[in-house]
Amino acid sequence: MSSYEPFVEGWDFVETLGEGAYGEVRLAINRKTQEAVAVKIVNADKLAGNKDNLKKEVCIHKMLQDSHIVKFYGQRTEQNRMYLFLEYAPGGELFDKIEPDVGMSIAQAQKYFKQLLNGMEYIHSKGVTHRDIKPENLLLGMNGELKISDFGWSVHAPSSRRTTLCGTLDYLPPEMIDGKMHDEKVDLWSIGVLCYEFLVGKPPFETESHEETYKLISLVKFDYPSYVPAGARDLINKLLKKKPEDRLALKEVLKHPWILENAKLNKKSAPISNVNPRGSSSASSSSK
């Protein structure tokens, strides 16, 4: 339970959906219309010197209008707190759909991955780099459709390159690990990591220590379980390239044979198991 009970006129706050460093996200119901929204409640006292980052997040989120992005409805400030009204995604986080050390069925992974690609293609077309793509920031809407959320680390600067180390450890690209300049191609790396996690149930560079994970990312060293399809391996290898300029562009990813072939499978009505068959051997990646 929250240490405070937020109140905004006209809305009833029902339950906590998530918590973060600067506040929490609550489910709110409009008393008149019964509309359900997610409200990100930011405590101004906890923001300290990060107020500009919040303003940037709001500006970026406002400009993005796409079916695969959580909608931004508006904001309000009351009692030293800022309330950001966002689309409610009743399906929760995609993270909860990924079975640890197993992942999803191939059909499920392809479906969500293609929706992610469509959303990211739109985001990049607006000159925005997300910089924190991970399962926890991918939500599921009323009909199970994928929606990208949380633009706290995002930047809107089509022609600039950055050096800030940001995001989540398991999804950081080599150029960030090595302290080099980076651009929108960091998202291509994160997308490759996600594709692997969808199929395997864990990120490719996950270890018990930060230092070892950093090392594996920098070397682009990881293995595939035997059940990962050859087509998926080829796609992941083309995204997890050490040199950003060598990564497959989003438009080309959407045309990749594994995406196109599995799109046809998704149209068939035959039931597909929710769990990948597991093998006993693994194959190393040579993507660098």
Side-chain angles (χ1 to χ4, degrees), residues 6-176:
F7 171 81
V8 175
E9 186 177 356
W11 295 85
D12 289 321
F13 288 79
V14 181
E15 62 177 290
T16 299
L17 300 174
E19 298 184 10
Y22 303 124
E24 61 184 7
V25 178
R26 301 288 296 273
L27 172 62
I29 306 296
N30 186 288
R31 295 193 189 108
K32 290 184 179 180
T33 67
Q34 294 302 298
E35 175 188 12
V37 299
V39 182
K40 186 173 183 176
I41 306 162
V42 181
N43 191 324
D45 294 335
K46 294 182 179 180
L47 275 178
N50 294 305
K51 291 183 179 180
D52 288 341
N53 285 343
L54 180 62
K55 290 180 181 178
K56 178 195 67 178
E57 176 184 353
V58 169
C59 288
I60 289 174
H61 206 157
K62 279 182 178 179
M63 68 179 285
L64 299 174
Q65 302 291 328
D66 184 79
S67 61
H68 290 304
I69 295 173
V70 168
K71 292 182 177 64
F72 184 95
Y73 293 137
Q75 64 191 81
R76 186 181 300 180
T77 302
E78 290 184 12
Q79 301 177 352
N80 205 35
R81 297 189 187 103
M82 179 176 285
Y83 299 83
L84 307 181
F85 287 74
L86 309 171
E87 177 182 7
Y88 172 51
E93 296 177 357
L94 186 58
F95 177 83
D96 295 327
K97 302 292 183 182
I98 303 174
E99 189 170 344
D101 295 320
V102 174
M104 308 174 181
S105 70
I106 293 173
Q108 281 184 314
Q110 186 279 332
K111 178 183 72 172
Y112 290 130
F113 191 64
K114 187 173 182 182
Q115 291 180 24
L116 172 63
L117 293 174
N118 289 333
M120 290 306 302
E121 188 176 36
Y122 171 81
I123 288 173
H124 282 191
S125 76
K126 296 297 183 181
V128 173
T129 303
H130 191 284
R131 302 203 300 180
D132 197 18
I133 293 295
K134 59 182 179 180
E136 294 89 338
N137 288 341
L138 303 178
L139 307 181
L140 298 176
M142 183 67 70
N143 299 310
E145 70 279 21
L146 181 144
K147 292 180 177 290
I148 301 169
S149 70
D150 200 336
F151 293 86
W153 282 116
S154 299
V155 290
H156 177 229
S159 61
S160 72
R161 292 168 63 83
R162 307 278 175 150
T163 57
T164 306
L165 179 64
C166 61
T168 303
L169 175 61
D170 289 319
Y171 306 88
L172 293 179
E175 59 267 36
M176 280 191 178

